[in-house]
């Protein structure tokens, strides 16, 4: 499948509405400061949904209104500052308030105008926009569930049972300035969210740990992910393409490193993608039933560890104590796998990985990882970083423990 | 510290008090409103530089994409503590310092009503500041994982997850809150009971009115903050579940409680400055204040409205539609009393005979730049557009236009305006003007680009960013460093003014009106020994 990149430089807001230059005052400054060609944008990115178009239109209109207010009010003030100076030899007036009907009229006119601007000129479009934004259910074509977790997103399609995790794909070396930064530095993921164009998608949002915020600027959609509660928003993407955004609520150390990338595709392409993804998941589920060799588990575990665990426990297993404990030599990791009769024992390694530790960043991975991933990563941790338990756990055992 | 700005015991009251400690003990035990005011202002200046240093580290990290100097964990500690130190350490004590110095002078009182409470209120601040910053030091010795890293808003559950820095910050907020409540009670009692004969409430100087509303807001809202952080503390250590959904709690409850304090807090920081503005404008326009009553009623209206608009700080948290609409329209309606103030400020200047000494420059700069904050606040109130602005650098720019120009530049206006009265010396006018122009221009260079960063989609509180944000961030960092280092001029000018300079008469400014200008510069130890009569 080929996807067209949406032009990030495009300034045209939408076919029917022209963006208004609300940024004029700063233009002179920035033009002087930087040669032409530097990539700077002064307004919202090009809208890709009806809601984003609405928001941009409203924003442009409001910026024009407040710029006009600013100019008018301060033109009067500047006029006064030029004309009414002591050095001009003026005798200061003595008035302390409006006197006479005419003056009262001129005093009240600005407030009548402000009332009109607040509650009519801005208030009415704002009212309609809120109603539109919050109407997530009318004529919704499909549902998507987004779960924020430190520091990745999980996407779930309840209709087709597809569920996967999406994490930052930018290599560590680029962040540490050891390698040249790619074009989509920090805005690229391993598994993007795939959505069909032209369909109203009702997006349900929640979190497993702290508050995150799911935000794609070109969609005009931003909603907090609250642990234990469902929040919702909606998107209806106009054009195929790749749309990028980020988590917008401070959620701990890697808040800046959990991007949202959406791949919008045509409906047939979407259907094909769903089939492919379903087949992959079925294969993965089946593979949980077969016996895995330790080498297989170790190889798979290393991969899972790098994408899921290394952010906190660090690639070398040393962690960042005290917030993120080391796995090397860890008491928890070096507990027996299961009880003698094959049951889960609280506060053991398997228990901790599956159920997490409340009140910390350690989440219950049984809700997000597959049986194979869990078995692999547990086996890997027990036999790496100097831990030498020598044992292993089978995906089938994990399946039975759920 | 030079005696010129404080108390010269021998001169006017030798023998009145018996024991007169000197040196540090004198400052520790003083109950004189001017001494305490000076301590508040000094503390505020120190905290201003500490908070500034923190944010310069942040801006240095953000100069270019990639992680340059710090780990994200440390970056997160810097941003939250910058905010707490600037708000609770720099701005609120500066306003209280003004109140201490000026309210007795302006209402014709010998001192504040509750002088010992006043002393205690101040001396709670240094321990609180130490509480806040101690975890930074402890981490160096391997204890804990640093200071508060949740941003200044303490949002649960992130703050439930956090390390000992959160506990230290909670206790620091408790102490700061107690200090502010005591200061506020003192101010309310002083204003109600210590006014000179003939000074009715509607003859009260506007600065005093502004502070009166501020004090009431503090007394109303700070206990709610204290309650919220205490609930957080028990969630962290004693197994309660106020903010934990799994235990029947709600993380959004914390946001409601926090912002019930947090929004009035904005006006707590701004009202003293709004009260100060008419004095400065009228002095340098040589013309009486325009619309005194209108301004008083606007202060009251803003104070009341500020208590009922808090949820606009979390529109994206998913509130029900009626709540969204209510908070949108109520927020917009704040623009009306605010517009009254702008109208009165400009009308005060209109047809005056203006000169532009440093305080007037800062006042005019305040009006223009604070105008940008007010106007962008109006668009932020709009729920649908806010979905784009929220959590982005647009908001960061907006509230720095409000709190740096509205707060800090307002404080600077007051310092230049009243410093000659306090020290008896004129500050260096050339340095003052240079300080103004450097501050105003570099402030815009720092924060104007942040509006565009926010519009383009850069979230706040991130230690590293995508390449498309690089140019504006570089500009902003350059601006921030100029802004930061220009403030050294301010400190130097104050230092020089305390230690000497041209002597000033009682009425420092040609156009100044009010009781404080009838007292000598610096004023006598017990400001008004015989209360003046106001006609």
């Amino acid at each position: 499948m080929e996807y067209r990149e949406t032009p990030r430089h495009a300034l045209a807001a939408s076919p029917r509405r022209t963006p208004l230059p609300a940024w004029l005052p700063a233009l002179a400054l920035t033009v002087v400061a930087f040669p032409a060609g530097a990539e700077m944008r002064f307004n919202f990115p090009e809208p890709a949904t009806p809601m984003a178009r609405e928001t941009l239109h409203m924003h442009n209109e409001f910026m024009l209104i407040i710029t006009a207010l600013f100019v008018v009010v301060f033109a009067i003030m500047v006029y006064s500052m030029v004309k009414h100076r002591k050095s001009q030899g003026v005798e200061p007036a003595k008035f302390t308030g409006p006197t006479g009907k005419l003056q009262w009229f001129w005093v009240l006119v600005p407030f009548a105008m402000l009332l009109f601007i607040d509650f009519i000129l801005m208030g009415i479009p704002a009212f309609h926009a809120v109603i539109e934004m919050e109407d997530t259910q009318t004529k919704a074509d499909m549902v998507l569930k987004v779960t924020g977790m430190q520091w990745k997103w999980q996407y779930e399609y309840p209709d087709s049972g597809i569920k996967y995790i999406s994490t930052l794909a930018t290599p560590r070396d680029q962040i540490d300035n050891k390698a040249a930064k790619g074009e989509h530095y920090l805005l690229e993921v391993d598994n993007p969210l795939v959505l069909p164009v032209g369909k109203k998608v009702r997006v349900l949002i929640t979190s497993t740990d702290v508050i995150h915020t799911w935000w794609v600027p070109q969609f005009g959609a931003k909603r907090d992910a609250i642990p234990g509660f469902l929040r919702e928003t909606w998107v209806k993407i106009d054009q195929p393409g790749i749309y990028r955004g980020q988590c917008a609520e401070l959620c701990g150390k890697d808040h800046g490193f959990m991007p949202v990338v959406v791949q919008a595709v045509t409906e047939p392409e979407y259907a094909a993608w769903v089939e492919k993804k379903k087949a992959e998941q079925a294969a993965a589920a089946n593979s949980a039933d077969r016996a895995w060799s330790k080498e297989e588990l170790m190889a798979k575990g290393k991969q899972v560890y790098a994408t899921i665990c290394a952010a906190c426990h660090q690639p070398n297993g040393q962690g960042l104590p005290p917030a993120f404990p080391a796995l090397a030599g860890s008491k928890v990791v070096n507990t027996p796998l299961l009880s003698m009769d094959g049951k889960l024992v609280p506060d053991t390694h398997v228990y901790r990985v599956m159920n997490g530790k409340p009140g910390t960043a350690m989440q219950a991975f049984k809700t997000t990882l597959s049986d194979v991933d869990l078995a692999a990563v547990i086996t890997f941790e027990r036999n790496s970083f100097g831990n030498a338990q020598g044992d292993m756990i089978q995906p089938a055992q994990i399946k039975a423990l759920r | 510290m030079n005696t010129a700005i404080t108390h010269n015991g021998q001169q006017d009251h030798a023998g009145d008090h018996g024991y007169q400690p000197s040196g540090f003990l004198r400052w520790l035990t003083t109950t004189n409103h001017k001494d305490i005011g000076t301590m508040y202002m000094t503390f505020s200046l120190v905290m201003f530089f500490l908070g500034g240093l923190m944010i310069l580290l942040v801006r240095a990290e953000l100069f270019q994409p990639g992680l340059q100097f710090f780990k994200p964990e440390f970056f997160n500690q810097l941003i939250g503590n910058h905010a707490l130190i600037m708000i609770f350490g720099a701005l609120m004590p500066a306003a209280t310092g003004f109140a201490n110095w000026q309210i007795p002078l302006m209402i014709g009182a010998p001192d504040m009503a509750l002088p010992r409470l006043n002393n205690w209120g101040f001396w709670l601040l240094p321990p609180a500041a130490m509480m806040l910053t101690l975890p930074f030091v402890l981490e160096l010795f391997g204890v804990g994982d640093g200071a508060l890293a949740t941003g200044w808003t303490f949002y649960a559950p992130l703050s439930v997850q956090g390390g000992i820095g959160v506990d230290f910050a909670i206790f620091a907020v408790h102490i700061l809150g107690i200090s502010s409540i005591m200061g506020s009670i003192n101010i309310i009692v002083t204003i109600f009971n210590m006014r000179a004969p003939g000074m009715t409430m509607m003859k009260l100087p506007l600065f005093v009115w502004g502070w009166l509303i501020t004090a009431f807001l503090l007394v109303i809202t700070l206990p709610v903050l204290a309650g919220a952080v205490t609930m957080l503390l028990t969630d962290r250590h004693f197994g309660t579940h106020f903010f934990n959904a799994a235990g029947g709690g709600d993380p959004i409850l914390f946001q409601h409680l926090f912002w019930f304090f947090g929004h009035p807090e904005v006006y707590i920081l701004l009202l003293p400055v709004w009260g100060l503005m008419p004095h400065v404008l009228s002095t340098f326009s040589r013309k009486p204040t325009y619309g005194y009553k209108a301004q008083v009623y606007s202060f009251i209206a803003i104070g009341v409205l500020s208590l009922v608009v808090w949820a606009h700080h979390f529109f994206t948290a998913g509130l029900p539609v009626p709540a969204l609409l209510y908070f949108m329209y109520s927020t917009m309606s704040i623009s009306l009393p605010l517009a009254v103030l702008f109208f009165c400020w400009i009308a005060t200047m209109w047809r005056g005979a203006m000169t532009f000494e440093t305080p007037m420059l800062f006042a005019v700069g305040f009006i223009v730049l604070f105008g940008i904050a007010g106007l962008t606040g109006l668009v932020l109130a709009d729920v649908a557009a806010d979905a784009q602005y929220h959590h982005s650098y647009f908001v960061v720019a907006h509230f720095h236009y409000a709190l740096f120009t509205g707060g800090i530049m307002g404080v600077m206006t007051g310092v230049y305006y009243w410093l000659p009265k306090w020290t008896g010396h004129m500050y260096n006018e050339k340095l003052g003007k240079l300080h103004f122009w450097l501050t105003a221009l570099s402030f815009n260079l720092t924060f104007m680009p942040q509006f565009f960063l926010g519009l383009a989609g850069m979230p706040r509180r991130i230690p590293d960013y995508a390449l498309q944000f690089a140019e504006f961030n570089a500009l902003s960092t350059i601006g921030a460093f100029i802004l930061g280092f220009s403030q050294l001029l301010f400190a130097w000018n104050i230092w020089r003014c305390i230690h000497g300079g041209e002597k000033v008469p009682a009425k420092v400014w040609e156009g100044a009106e009010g009781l404080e200008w009838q007292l000598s510069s610096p004023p006598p130890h017990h400001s008004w020994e015989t209360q003046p009569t106001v006609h």
Side-chain angles (χ1 to χ4, degrees), chain B residues 41 49 161 176-177 239 250 450 490 493:
Chain B
M41 300 305 289
F49 280 102
Q161 209 183 66
L176 292 162
D250 185 347
Q450 296 188 3
F490 181 51
N493 209 349

Side-chain angles (χ1 to χ4, degrees), chain B residues 194-274:
Chain B
M194 308 272 286
R195 299 192 308 277
M199 180 170 279
T200 58
M201 288 306 275
M202 288 316 270
K203 282 185 186 163
L204 216 51
L206 280 168
F207 172 74
V208 182
W209 257 114
W211 240 112
L212 184 63
I213 308 296
T214 300
F216 272 104
L217 287 179
L218 280 166
V219 172
I220 293 167
T221 60
L222 273 172
V224 178
L225 175 69
V229 293
T230 307
M231 288 155 84
L232 188 59
L233 191 73
T234 61
D235 263 19
R236 283 171 58 78
H237 297 295
F238 305 110
T240 56
H241 295 105
F242 292 113
F243 310 123
N244 178 1
D250 185 347
I252 299 303
L253 172 65
F254 184 84
Q255 304 191 8
H256 280 288
L257 293 173
F258 183 85
W259 288 111
F260 182 79
F261 148 81
H263 191 76
E265 173 69 16
V266 176
Y267 297 96
I268 286 165
L269 300 173
L270 295 176
L271 272 164
V273 171
W274 294 344

Side-chain angles (χ1 to χ4, degrees), chain A residues 231-303:
Chain A
R231 294 291 189 252
E232 47 189 289
T233 184
W234 63 278
V235 298
K236 188 176 178 187
I237 308 165
D238 300 330
Q239 294 290 329
I242 296 182
Y243 303 94
R244 298 168 199 275
Q246 276 176 278
C247 174
E249 175 69 283
L250 180 62
C251 56
K253 81 180 176 75
D254 284 350
H255 162 53
F257 306 95
M258 53 182 290
V260 176
V261 178
V262 182
Q263 217 167 41
V265 297
T266 60
E267 215 176 324
E269 283 174 315
Y270 176 72
W273 176 82
V274 168
E275 286 315 311
K276 188 176 132 237
K277 205 75 185 170
K278 270 178 160 171
E280 272 174 26
Q281 278 198 190
N286 286 334
S287 70
D289 295 330
R290 72 171 171 89
W292 284 56
S293 76
K294 192 170 168 191
E295 288 67 36
E296 281 179 301
L297 286 173
M298 288 295 283
K300 176 82 181 164
K302 190 173 182 186
Q303 202 187 329

